[in-house]
Amino acid sequence: MREIKQIQSHLIISGTLFDPFAAGKIIAFCAISHRGDLDYAHLLFNSLPRPTTFIWNTMIRAFAETNQPSRALSLYKQMIDKGPLPNNYTFSFVLRACIDLSSLLDGQKLHSQIVRLGWEPYDFVLNGLVHLYANCNCISSARKLFDESLSSRDVVTWTAMINGYAKAGQIHAARSLFDQMPERNVVSWSAMITNYAQVGMFKEALELFNEMQLAGLRPNHAGIVGALSACAFLGALDQGRWIHVYVDRNGMELDKVLGTALIDMYAKCGCIETARQVFGQMTERDVFSWTSMISGLANHGHSASAIELFIRMQNEGVKPNEVTFICVLSACSRMGLVDDGQRFFDSMSEVYGIEPGVEHYGCLVDLLGRAGMLEEAKRVVNEMPMLPDSYVLGALLNASRVHGEVELGEKTVKSFMDRRIDHGGVHVLLSNMYASANRWEDVAKIRKGMEEKKVKKVPGCSLIDVDGMVIEFVAGDSSHFQTEEMILLLLGINMQLKCFGLDIDTGEFGASL
């Protein structure tokens, strides 16, 4: 900037500052360069008597790319009022601003101007329109443009349409379109992987990630983050470690997003110390990085470390969010730190201006209930500003079971039923409470009621990673495997156990199958 200002001084002295080419170069550097100064560029822009289309586009682009979409749109409106006619580049930048604002109305106005000026056939304008309508959940309009662009559509057009279907919850339509693509690049593969991960189809995300590598493509940042999310949920530790090695070998920057994904994956796969190492290696951390590490520590029983990290986070000036407080309150609950938990709960609104949600009240009820303060827990449930959900009532019911308060448990179950939360776990818990109190007639009554209402307890399931393949076992379900496959799997596990000096008998188990 110092040297640019020197050049500007020479232009002023020579009387050529308002030369369109020279002014355009100075403004472009100030507005777009990472070493520039956008506010200074805007000041220069306002001093020009007649900015060219290039200069208008440069300023609109700069505002759109620096997360200031409203200023980009405002500048475009000024251009329409007193500037030259916009061109195809103008619309590609302004459409991006409308997408960031999710402003369908402004986008439709732009679309009409694009048609009138004849810029609709241009690839990047068309892609922007498809992306706009898809982002604003106008899938029919996006698909109409997509179908009409048969001769000019490219991989970007296809990817924009796929993302639109995924955002609208039509993930199978997105996959169908992905399979029809005549050409795929790493961005389209990564988009589909990310979409699968975002809708909870983690197994499909990981399968697609493996297919992408078999197709000879190197995963990019977005694809890696999506695959790590899938590894975290599925417990696919080996694959998660492979991805981490790939990141290191390719010199990929451990930024806030990628670092947080690795922390989450290692924490959920049981490697909390490795998660700590990744956290320590990150040069820049945001609230999500801190929250993920605090959550991992709390879930692994390191509640004291989680609380210490939360205090350190505050001292470093990072503002916690709603999820951070859920993690911290859970840590306090596990350690029985009632005073600290109450203080953290109160600080949400008093210090950070965050209104506690139903999840936070559930954590507070759990904290009080575990400490045996059932009257205080009941008062929180009765006085909370919203209706208690299954988590809040479940925390109260669990506290009733632990402390043998059968009457309170009965009232809580009735509250479940009044709110039409009638799942099997509630009835089983109450049945166990009756059994602990030797009230066997009530146990039989509960069980009979479950049979009459056809209420079933959701079976438990487990996920294991064997040779890079994630396999799910559901209690009481043998439909996933044939007998030979089950025996082969057990033999493979047995061979791995023998490496550690352990052994299991698969013969008798196989025979019973």
Side-chain angles (χ1 to χ4, degrees):
M1 282 301 300
R2 178 175 171 272
E3 292 165 344
I4 276 289
K5 288 176 181 179
Q6 289 177 350
I7 295 171
Q8 181 191 351
S9 299
H10 283 291
L11 292 173
I12 292 172
I13 293 169
S14 63
T16 55
L17 177 63
F18 295 148
D19 175 76
F21 182 80
K25 288 293 184 181
I26 290 178
I27 289 175
F29 175 86
C30 295
I32 298 172
S33 171
H34 69 280
R35 294 184 178 180
D37 185 335
L38 182 53
D39 290 331
Y40 190 77
H42 198 206
L43 189 66
L44 288 176
F45 172 81
N46 288 331
S47 70
L48 297 178
R50 287 181 298 276
T52 62
T53 303
F54 170 79
I55 295 175
W56 281 95
N57 287 348
T58 300
M59 290 303 304
I60 292 171
R61 172 190 171 187
F63 285 130
E65 290 182 349
T66 55
N67 296 321
Q68 301 181 69
S70 298
R71 295 184 71 180
L73 209 54
S74 175
L75 200 61
Y76 169 77
K77 291 173 182 176
Q78 292 177 37
M79 182 181 184
I80 293 295
D81 291 338
K82 58 183 180 182
L85 282 175
N87 60 17
N88 51 346
Y89 295 102
T90 314
F91 287 113
S92 65
F93 303 138
V94 185
L95 282 170
R96 176 173 175 174
C98 290
I99 292 166
D100 289 341
L101 291 168
S102 297
S103 178
L104 178 61
L105 181 60
D106 285 321
Q108 289 172 329
K109 291 177 182 177
L110 283 175
H111 191 179
S112 66
Q113 292 168 359
I114 289 167
V115 172
R116 285 204 304 272
L117 294 171
W119 296 117
E120 192 178 40
Y122 284 77
D123 291 351
F124 42 87
V125 176
L126 174 68
N127 291 337
L129 286 169
V130 172
H131 194 184
L132 168 76
Y133 285 116
N135 188 73
C136 294
N137 288 329
C138 292
I139 296 299
S140 57
S141 298
R143 187 59 196 248
K144 184 179 179 182
L145 282 168
F146 177 82
D147 292 337
E148 289 173 355
S149 64
L150 184 60
S151 59
S152 59
R153 70 173 68 146
D154 58 12
V155 66
V156 180
T157 322
W158 284 85
T159 305
M161 195 66 233
I162 288 168
N163 285 334
Y165 274 127
K167 185 175 181 182
Q170 301 181 39
I171 192 67
H172 296 297
R175 179 58 193 265
S176 176
L177 202 63
F178 176 81
D179 291 337
Q180 296 171 39
M181 288 182 71
E183 178 189 356
R184 304 184 191 118
N185 62 11
V186 66
V187 176
S188 52
W189 280 92
S190 297
M192 196 64 231
I193 292 167
T194 303
N195 290 328
Y196 268 140
Q198 287 176 344
V199 298
M201 298 177 69
F202 300 107
K203 189 175 181 181
E204 290 79 0
L206 217 49
E207 289 172 352
L208 200 62
F209 181 77
N210 293 330
E211 286 180 33
M212 179 178 69
Q213 294 168 74
L214 292 174
L217 293 172
R218 297 165 67 90
N220 65 4
H221 185 280
I224 285 174
V225 171
L228 284 172
S229 299
C231 291
F233 180 84
L234 297 173
L237 178 59
D238 288 343
Q239 183 126 20
R241 281 175 171 158
W242 182 92
I243 294 172
H244 191 181
V245 171
Y246 175 87
V247 168
D248 288 341
R249 285 183 178 173
N250 286 274
M252 297 180 72
E253 181 187 359
L254 198 65
D255 61 12
K256 292 179 286 188
V257 177
L258 184 53
T260 302
L262 280 169
I263 291 169
D264 187 57
M265 184 276 295
Y266 279 122
K268 288 180 177 175
C269 290
C271 300
I272 191 62
E273 292 305 320
T274 311
R276 272 179 163 170
Q277 291 173 13
V278 173
F279 182 79
Q281 292 167 4
M282 294 175 67
T283 56
E284 187 179 1
R285 310 181 188 101
D286 60 7
V287 62
F288 303 105
S289 313
W290 288 92
T291 300
S292 185
M293 193 66 245
I294 291 169
S295 173
L297 289 168
N299 290 333
H300 280 77
H302 302 297
S303 297
S305 298
I307 294 170
E308 288 174 8
L309 195 64
F310 175 68
I311 295 170
R312 179 181 153 197
M313 171 188 177
Q314 293 175 304
N315 292 337
E316 293 193 14
V318 180
K319 181 182 176 181
N321 61 17
E322 293 88 347
V323 181
T324 316
F325 279 104
I326 292 175
C327 300
V328 173
L329 289 171
S330 297
C332 292
S333 179
R334 291 185 174 97
M335 289 189 69
L337 301 175
V338 177
D339 292 338
D340 287 337
Q342 186 70 63
R343 180 165 50 84
F344 291 143
F345 182 87
D346 294 338
S347 71
M348 288 184 64
S349 55
E350 294 174 1
V351 179
Y352 296 103
I354 301 173
E355 288 303 318
V358 67
E359 301 90 351
H360 304 100
Y361 281 100
C363 291
L364 186 59
V365 170
D366 185 55
L367 171 66
L368 296 169
R370 287 183 186 228
M373 302 169 66
L374 296 182
E375 289 301 320
E376 290 82 352
K378 281 195 298 181
R379 186 170 64 253
V380 170
V381 173
N382 293 330
E383 294 178 358
M384 57 189 290
M386 70 284 290
L387 286 175
D389 66 355
S390 59
Y391 181 75
V392 176
L393 294 174
L396 189 59
L397 181 59
N398 186 61
S400 305
R401 179 189 64 81
V402 170
H403 297 285
E405 294 287 341
V406 178
E407 185 179 345
L408 178 58
E410 291 173 330
K411 291 180 180 178
T412 307
V413 170
K414 186 178 184 304
S415 298
F416 269 105
M417 294 179 176
D418 292 341
R419 288 165 176 74
R420 300 182 183 276
I421 307 171
D422 200 21
H423 58 72
V426 175
H427 298 278
V428 171
L429 201 56
L430 182 60
S431 173
N432 292 340
M433 289 176 65
Y434 283 142
S436 299
N438 293 321
R439 293 172 55 175
W440 300 109
E441 291 183 3
D442 291 322
V443 171
K445 191 176 178 182
I446 289 287
R447 297 289 179 174
K448 185 177 180 182
M450 289 177 66
E451 292 177 6
E452 291 174 351
K453 296 178 181 179
K454 297 182 179 179
V455 176
K456 294 183 179 180
K457 186 178 183 297
V458 178
C461 68
S462 299
L463 294 162
I464 65 169
D465 183 1
V466 179
D467 294 331
M469 182 173 65
V470 178
I471 304 169
E472 180 180 16
F473 294 95
V474 179
D477 181 17
S478 59
S479 62
H480 289 77
F481 291 96
Q482 298 295 326
T483 303
E484 305 86 34
E485 292 172 318
M486 180 68 81
I487 295 172
L488 286 171
L489 177 62
L490 288 169
L491 288 171
I493 295 172
N494 193 24
M495 289 176 66
Q496 295 181 40
L497 290 171
K498 283 181 178 179
C499 295
F500 296 96
L502 304 171
D503 195 8
I504 56 172
D505 182 8
T506 55
E508 184 179 347
F509 188 76
S512 69
L513 286 171

